[in-house]
């Protein structure tokens, strides 16, 4: 974490840097792969590599504060009789009770409801705390089907069929024994204290044709009321989005490789999937080719941190975004006030990613009653609401500067890229040029 | 008895009618004719009613069933009674893949054979199959009981948690962490009760019991080959 002890002349290898050497030593000692939470930590082309072209002569901007820049979004009006109408397009991503404490889940619900957006259950079922505090609750339908039941399905405001996550496309979930308390075990029908791995494929369907029938069943059970989302980890996004639309999705949730996780092998987090930036244009192209852009809504997640990220994702064609890691940080994850406790765990505030160990000093990714009581769900919910308001206002600021009266009016033409990689992935021109690599335009 | 003819009504109309009358529950016996292998028949029921389907059903018949008794007089497609919570689902013919998948409760009876992954990820349901089951049955089974009066295909009970499996015939192979276990008095009693509930005439003493060795319950270097 610091270079203080290293004398000049002591040259660190770029190939075998300290982290690499440490990992070899760790693997040799334990004989098991490294598991951790958080998302990819390597540097990736991302939203910071894009810039907005503010309005000047050829376009005129909107007046901050005075001229309206709307932020609401409707999700799921393709087939569902009760689509969601949210006040801000920034939603809370699915995070399981089990990975997170009941207090954390409640806080997410409170924060989201305060600003009129939705929150999402996770791989562990729906808790009453979360349902009670969430105005719009999306119920995940995962391969594990832990706690899945028709009563909760009917209580949900939308159903999200999870095929994958950006942190681990092609992987199942895991929750280690430390976190399988009696309540968590009961909700998942598992023995207390075991290391649990959840399936990576759904148990009762395989390909997209089966999925279409599965979606029909879910709609029949809920009388065609609920929007049905399909969540995919970004990999072969162009094809996956086309298949998801064909299978009957109302909404597609696209999670890029930066997306957070509660517990996954490090090798999986860092080496599988494509960056969010590269995935969005593929998804939008697929939707446009099917004449489904804006008809099947696109929610993008994976590394969204501020209002600029929100605005850029929307300019590239997303209808809404979802946040996981940032929401946890807003609640209090990695808060410096717990630094002494983080240090006892061999880490520091700002670095903590061992969500799977269940010893989170901030009381968020834990099932330990003493630790989770550190998180006040009301105060943490307010912090999240504040943060969501800031993201919304930041996105509005940028949209107004581009002359847009609705966040959804942002468009790729408002963007340029700072480097060739980002230009090629996001399919916007390199700043100061008309060049989009790979598009044959100059 | 109320009859719904799927030659003239849609599945949507059938399911909506079944759901709509749930509160008063004034019609307790339903007959569905001409199902012709349609999907999602009689799913999401949550009342103590009986539904008889006169013919073959498609995928996810009686999905997420609560309390109701659903009988398919024919064969059933993939995911029969998936995620069932309670009640009884019976098929007089064969069932396709993933019958009773992730079921949390209730009783599923297959009078013919069940295909691959019967009882996959089961979470408390009881499944009794008069014939044989295909490969990977009770894969990752968490709770409940699977009874097979015929044979079981490859990798029975792979990565099993706490499901108890009873098989009368041959088991092609056992999956990771699944082992044969002693058939004690309490198991004979439990099996006898299950067979009785399913109305299947077999001698419980002729069955063998399989369950989890519980060796994969914790990440261990020794288990690396199973990961
Ligand atoms: C602690 C934690 C738990 C998660 N649990 C789930 C889950 O149960 N189901 C799921 O689909 N995604 C899960 N995710 C992934 C999120 O839904 C989302 O895709 C991701 O966090 C978005 O990326 P971001 O963290 O960069 O915002 C989890 C993420 C975190 C950080």
């Amino acid at each position: 974490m610091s270079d203080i002890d290293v004398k000049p002349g002591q040259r660190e290898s770029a190939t075998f840097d300290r982290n690499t050497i440490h990992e070899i030593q760790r693997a040799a000692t334990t004989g098991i792969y490294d598991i951790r939470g958080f998302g990819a930590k390597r540097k990736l082309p991302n939203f910071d590599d894009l810039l907005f072209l503010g309005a000047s002569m050829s376009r005129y901007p909107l007046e901050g504060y005075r001229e309206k820049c709307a932020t609401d979004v409707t999700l799921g009006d393709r087939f569902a009789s009760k689509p969601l109408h949210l006040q801000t397009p920034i939603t809370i991503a699915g995070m399981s009770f089990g990975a997170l404490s009941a207090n954390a889940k409640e806080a997410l619900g409170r924060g989201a409801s305060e600003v009129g957006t939705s929150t999402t259950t996770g791989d562990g079922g729906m808790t009453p705390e979360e349902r009670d505090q969430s105005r719009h609750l999306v119920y995940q339908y995962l391969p594990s089907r832990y706690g899945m039941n028709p009563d909760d399905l009917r209580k949900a405001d939308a159903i999200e069929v999870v095929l994958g996550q950006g942190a681990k496309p092609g992987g199942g979930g895991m929750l280690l024994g430390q976190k399988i308390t009696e309540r968590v075990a009961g909700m998942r029908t598992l023995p207390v204290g075991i290391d649990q791995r959840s399936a990576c494929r759904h148990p009762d369907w395989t390909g997209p044709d089966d999925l279409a029938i599965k979606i029909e069943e879910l709609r029949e059970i809920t009388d065609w009321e609920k929007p049905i989302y399909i969540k995919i980890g970004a990999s072969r996004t162009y094809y996956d989005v086309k298949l998801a639309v064909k299978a009957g999705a109302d909404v597609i949730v696209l999670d890029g490789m930066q997306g957070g996780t509660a517990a996954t092998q490090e090798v999986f987090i860092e080496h599988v999937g494509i960056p969010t930036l590269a995935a969005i244009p593929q998804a939008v192209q697929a939707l446009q080719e099917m004449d489904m852009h804006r008809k099947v809504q696109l929610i993008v997640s994976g590394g969204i941190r501020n209002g600029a990220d929100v605005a850029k994702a929307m300019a590239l064609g997303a209808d809404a975004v979802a946040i996981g890691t940032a929401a946890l940080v807003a609640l209090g994850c990695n808060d410096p006030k717990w630094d002494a406790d983080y240090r006892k765990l061999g880490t520091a505030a700002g670095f903590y990613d061992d969500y799977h160990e269940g010893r989170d000093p901030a009381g968020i990714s834990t099932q330990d009653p003493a630790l989770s009581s550190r998180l006040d769900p009301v105060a943490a919910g307010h912090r999240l609401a504040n943060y969501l308001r800031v993201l919304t206002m930041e996105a509005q600021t940028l949209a107004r500067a581009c002359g847009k009266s609705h966040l959804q009016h942002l468009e790729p033409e408002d963007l340029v890229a700072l480097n060739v990689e980002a230009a090629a992935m996001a399919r916007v021109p390199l700043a100061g040029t008309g060049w989009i690599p790979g598009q044959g335009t100059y | 008895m109320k009859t719904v003819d799927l030659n003239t009504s849609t599945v949507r109309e059938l399911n909506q009618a079944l759901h709509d009358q749930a509160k008063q529950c004034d019609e307790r016996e339903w007959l569905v004719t001409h199902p012709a292998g349609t999907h999602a028949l009689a799913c999401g029921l949550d009342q103590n009613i009986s539904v008889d389907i006169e013919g073959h059903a498609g995928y996810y018949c009686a999905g997420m069933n609560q309390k109701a008794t659903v009988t398919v007089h024919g064969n059933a497609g993939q995911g029969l009674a998936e995620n069932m919570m309670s009640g009884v689902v019976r098929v007089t013919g064969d069932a396709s893949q993933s019958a009773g998948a992730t079921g949390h409760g209730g009783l599923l009876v297959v009078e013919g054979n069940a295909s691959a992954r019967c009882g996959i990820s089961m979470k408390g349901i009881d499944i009794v199959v008069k014939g044989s089951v295909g490969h990977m049955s009770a894969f990752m089974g968490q709770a409940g009981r699977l009874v097979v009066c015929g044979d079981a295909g490859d990798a029975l009970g792979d990565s099993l948690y706490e499901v108890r499996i009873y098989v009368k015939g041959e088991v092609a192979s056992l999956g990771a962490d699944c082992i044969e276990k002693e058939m004690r008095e309490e198991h004979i009693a439990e099996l006898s009760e299950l067979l009785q509930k399913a109305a299947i005439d077999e001698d419980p003493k002729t069955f063998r019991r399989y369950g989890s060795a519980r060796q994969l319950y914790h990440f261990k270097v020794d288990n690396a080959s199973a990961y």
Side-chain angles (χ1 to χ4, degrees), chain A residues 38 93-96 99-100 121-124 140 142 160 162 164-166 231 255-256 258-262 301-304 322-326 328 355 365:
Chain A
F38 225 84
M95 294 182 273
S96 72
L100 300 186
T121 65
D123 199 2
Q140 285 200 328
L142 294 121
E160 182 168 304
V162 179
Q165 265 177 253
K231 176 173 180 175
D255 193 25
Q258 295 99 317
T261 173
S301 61
I304 304 267
I323 57 169
T325 306
L328 301 185
Y355 297 165
S365 59

Side-chain angles (χ1 to χ4, degrees), chain B residues 94-130:
Chain B
D94 298 326
S96 184
Q97 291 189 46
S98 306
T102 77
H104 285 71
L107 174 69
L108 169 63
V109 183
V110 180
E111 294 185 359
N113 303 304
S115 181
R117 303 184 186 85
C118 177
I120 182 171
S121 280
M122 53 195 280
K123 297 171 172 40
I125 189 177
D126 289 324
I127 305 177
V128 181
V129 181
K130 202 166 167 187

Side-chain angles (χ1 to χ4, degrees), chain B residues 47-171:
Chain B
Q47 279 303 327
N48 184 9
I49 57 174
S50 79
V51 180
D52 280 87
I53 298 170
E54 290 293 339
H56 306 308
Y59 283 33
Y60 311 126
C61 178
M64 300 213 186
N65 187 55
Q66 287 166 297
K67 299 184 202 150
T69 300
V70 179
T71 309
V72 180
H73 300 270
N75 302 321
Q78 187 161 318
L80 169 69
E82 65 87 17
N83 211 83
M84 169 154 78
M85 305 302 291
S86 59
V88 180
V89 175
R90 179 181 289 269
V91 49
T92 62
D94 298 326
S96 184
Q97 291 189 46
S98 306
T102 77
H104 285 71
L107 174 69
L108 169 63
V109 183
V110 180
E111 294 185 359
N113 303 304
S115 181
R117 303 184 186 85
C118 177
I120 182 171
S121 280
M122 53 195 280
K123 297 171 172 40
I125 189 177
D126 289 324
I127 305 177
V128 181
V129 181
K130 202 166 167 187
S132 301
V133 295
H135 66 266
M136 288 297 236
S137 287
F139 174 57
M140 291 180 103
Q142 296 172 221
R145 291 148 317 172
L146 171 65
V147 179
V148 183
C149 303
D151 304 328
D154 274 318
L156 177 70
D158 194 284
S159 308
L160 202 62
Y161 292 100
E162 293 293 310
V163 170
R164 287 192 290 285
I165 305 176
Y166 298 99
V167 184
K168 184 175 170 195
E170 296 287 311
V171 173

Side-chain angles (χ1 to χ4, degrees), chain A residues 30-33 141 144-151 153-154 176 188-191 193-199 203-205 210 213-214 216-218 220-221 223-224, chain B residues 11-12 15-16 19 39-40 43-44 46 59-60 63-64 66 78-79 82-83 85 98 101-102 104 117 120 123 140 142-143 161-162 216-221 226-227:
Chain A
T30 64
I32 190 118
Y33 40 52
Y141 190 76
S144 71
R145 310 277 166 88
Y146 290 140
M148 172 50 56
N149 71 80
D151 294 330
L153 203 65
R154 287 185 275 259
L176 300 192
R188 299 182 184 220
T189 331
L190 286 168
I194 68 162
D195 290 338
Q196 167 265 300
R197 283 160 299 156
S198 40
D204 55 354
W205 59 270
D210 283 3
I213 307 172
K214 171 51 75 180
E216 184 190 333
E217 182 210 5
L218 294 172
E220 282 297 323
I221 291 173
D223 295 332
W224 291 72
Chain B
V11 173
R12 183 77 286 270
N15 286 329
Q16 191 70 55
H19 297 169
H39 306 308
C43 58
D46 66 351
Y59 283 33
Y60 311 126
M64 300 213 186
Q66 287 166 297
Q78 187 161 318
E82 65 87 17
N83 211 83
M85 305 302 291
S98 306
T102 77
H104 285 71
R117 303 184 186 85
I120 182 171
K123 297 171 172 40
M140 291 180 103
Q142 296 172 221
Y161 292 100
E162 293 293 310
L216 294 180
Y217 276 15
H218 293 97
F219 281 98
K220 277 194 293 211
V221 182
Y227 301 148

